[in-house]
Amino acid sequence: TPIIDFFKKELEKFPKEEKEIPKIGNSSNNIPLWALIGGALADASNPCALAVLILLLASVISAKGKNHALLSGLMFSLAIFISYFLMGLGIYTAISAFGIPRYLSLGIGILAIILALANFKDVFWYGKIFITEVPMAWRPKMQAIIKKATNPWSAFGIGFLVSLFLVPCASGPYVVILGMIAEKTPYIKPILLLVLYNFIFVFPMLAITVAMYFFNTRMGKLEQWRQKNLRLLHAIIGIIMLLLGIYLIYSRI
């Protein structure tokens, strides 16, 4: 603050026409809210994140009924929120500490476009070469873990374990947004932004849990809808990530 105040006083000594400071590219000092919300929606739309909750609720309903399923779904969502918030805070701290944004701003934009192309691949050639979801080899183990959640506290603990399985398919948009947050000035509130991002990320999980309890939404039908709309979900993610990538690259040209 003393340095900035001193600079402002010194700047007043120069004629008005010399006070303009040239801008570098088209960058701004704040992450656009649409970018944050868009990245979180892309993350929330990931089919594998929805599949995990559907499997959990179906398992608890069959074992203990709707009341336990409601509490288990809420605790599971809370665990995912805490886990991803802490991971995001750690990544943000590392990026900020090493000054990485200065050198990787363009790289973040390129990463977003690569993620977009990977999701577009799943729109037209789903299951070929690779998929932007939980790897097939991991799924039996993940399902076995989820089926052990028979009460809210076990669902909370399993939420932390399952979050590790979701990293390959649900961390791409998160890394892009974390890079954008760390790149901006420290006057923004990164913790509040992370809270907002992760709330949007788990909101579909909360919505499915509430719909199951209050509207008797059947998990089987919801899973059928998810399977039927896999390509649509990947298309949504791809479009959002492509827009983010174009914005990031354009803002640095």
Side-chain angles (χ1 to χ4, degrees):
T1 301
I3 293 173
I4 294 173
D5 292 339
F6 174 78
F7 175 76
K8 288 179 179 178
K9 291 178 182 178
E10 290 297 308
L11 197 60
E12 292 297 327
K13 299 177 182 179
F14 293 89
K16 185 175 181 180
E17 60 272 11
E18 295 182 16
K19 290 182 183 178
E20 294 186 6
I21 301 174
K23 294 182 179 179
I24 301 175
N26 297 298
S27 62
S28 63
N29 289 331
N30 294 292
I31 177 174
L33 191 59
W34 69 263
L36 180 79
I37 294 175
L41 288 175
D43 232 348
S45 301
N46 199 292
C48 58
L50 300 178
V52 167
L53 180 68
I54 292 172
L55 178 59
L56 171 78
L57 293 177
S59 300
V60 179
I61 289 173
S62 62
K64 294 292 185 68
K66 280 177 37 175
N67 291 335
H68 276 79
L70 174 64
L71 294 175
S72 296
L74 294 177
M75 293 294 281
F76 181 84
S77 301
L78 177 61
I80 296 292
F81 177 90
I82 294 173
S83 176
Y84 269 77
F85 174 81
L86 293 177
M87 281 192 283
L89 191 60
I91 295 172
Y92 166 80
T93 302
I95 294 175
S96 301
F98 291 101
I100 295 176
R102 214 177 277 179
Y103 308 101
L104 290 186
S105 56
L106 283 176
I108 295 170
I110 294 172
L111 172 63
I113 291 179
I114 292 174
L115 291 171
L117 295 176
N119 278 279
F120 287 143
K121 190 277 301 178
D122 283 340
V123 174
F124 300 103
W125 301 286
Y126 184 82
K128 300 294 180 64
I129 306 176
F130 66 90
I131 55 175
T132 52
E133 298 178 22
V134 174
M136 292 292 184
W138 293 15
R139 295 188 182 187
K141 183 64 175 178
M142 183 182 71
Q143 291 173 354
I145 292 174
I146 293 173
K147 288 180 180 179
K148 294 179 181 178
T150 56
N151 61 72
W153 289 111
S154 62
F156 182 80
I158 286 172
F160 279 98
L161 291 176
V162 169
S163 66
L164 300 178
F165 288 92
L166 295 180
V167 168
C169 64
S171 61
Y174 201 16
V175 172
V176 171
I177 294 301
L178 287 170
M180 294 179 68
I181 293 174
E183 183 185 13
K184 303 303 177 181
T185 64
Y187 297 106
I188 62 173
K189 306 295 184 183
I191 292 180
L192 294 178
L193 293 177
L194 288 177
V195 168
L196 175 60
Y197 182 98
N198 283 285
F199 175 76
I200 296 173
F201 175 56
V202 301
F203 181 78
M205 300 182 186
L206 296 173
I208 290 172
T209 301
V210 171
M212 173 277 303
Y213 185 79
F214 290 100
F215 303 104
N216 294 316
T217 302
R218 296 185 178 276
M219 294 300 103
K221 290 186 177 180
L222 198 57
E223 175 61 15
Q224 290 176 3
W225 179 90
R226 188 191 71 86
Q227 291 285 352
K228 185 178 179 181
N229 292 277
L230 280 174
R231 297 176 188 275
L232 174 62
L233 293 172
H234 281 293
I236 293 172
I237 299 170
I239 291 171
I240 294 175
M241 296 312 297
L242 181 62
L243 293 174
L244 283 174
I246 292 173
Y247 165 78
L248 283 165
I249 293 174
Y250 174 74
S251 66
R252 288 291 169 252
I253 295 177

